[in-house]
Amino acid sequence: MTIDFKKKEIYLKDVITIQEVDGLLEWLLENPKTTINLADCTHIHLAALQTLVSAKRKVSTWPQDKTLKRWIQPLLEN
């Protein structure tokens, strides 16, 4: 599973595809006080990224992949 939903944090791992966006959005709406952990994320579909941007959540851990981090960090920093 590439998204691990926990009580206070969501973990995005490996490749996040468009098929996961609906579940991601639903979970973010139901859990408004959570953070996002991207440490093990290697790629994220633009629709999933847009969902995270609109959720305006704090990122607790940025991707280890420096290129991905450089690409998404300006969009997700609050």
Side-chain angles (χ1 to χ4, degrees):
M1 177 178 256
T2 58
I3 300 179
D4 192 7
F5 301 98
K6 298 292 183 182
K7 188 173 184 177
K8 297 186 180 202
E9 189 161 50
I10 185 171
Y11 295 82
L12 282 71
K13 304 172 185 174
D14 302 319
V15 176
I16 308 302
T17 67
I18 194 165
Q19 287 79 14
E20 295 163 296
V21 172
D22 288 339
L24 175 62
L25 176 60
E26 183 178 323
W27 191 86
L28 288 167
L29 290 172
E30 292 174 1
N31 299 278
K33 295 184 179 185
T34 56
T35 57
I36 302 166
N37 185 313
L38 298 164
D40 297 322
C41 186
T42 58
H43 179 82
I44 185 166
H45 189 278
L46 183 57
L49 179 59
Q50 288 172 324
T51 300
L52 295 178
V53 169
S54 68
K56 297 181 181 176
R57 302 295 166 80
K58 181 180 185 233
V59 175
S60 64
T61 309
W62 292 101
Q64 295 176 35
D65 180 307
K66 298 208 182 296
T67 302
L68 179 61
K69 179 183 177 185
R70 199 170 39 246
W71 180 60
I72 65 173
Q73 189 171 17
L75 302 171
L76 293 175
E77 284 185 328
N78 293 328

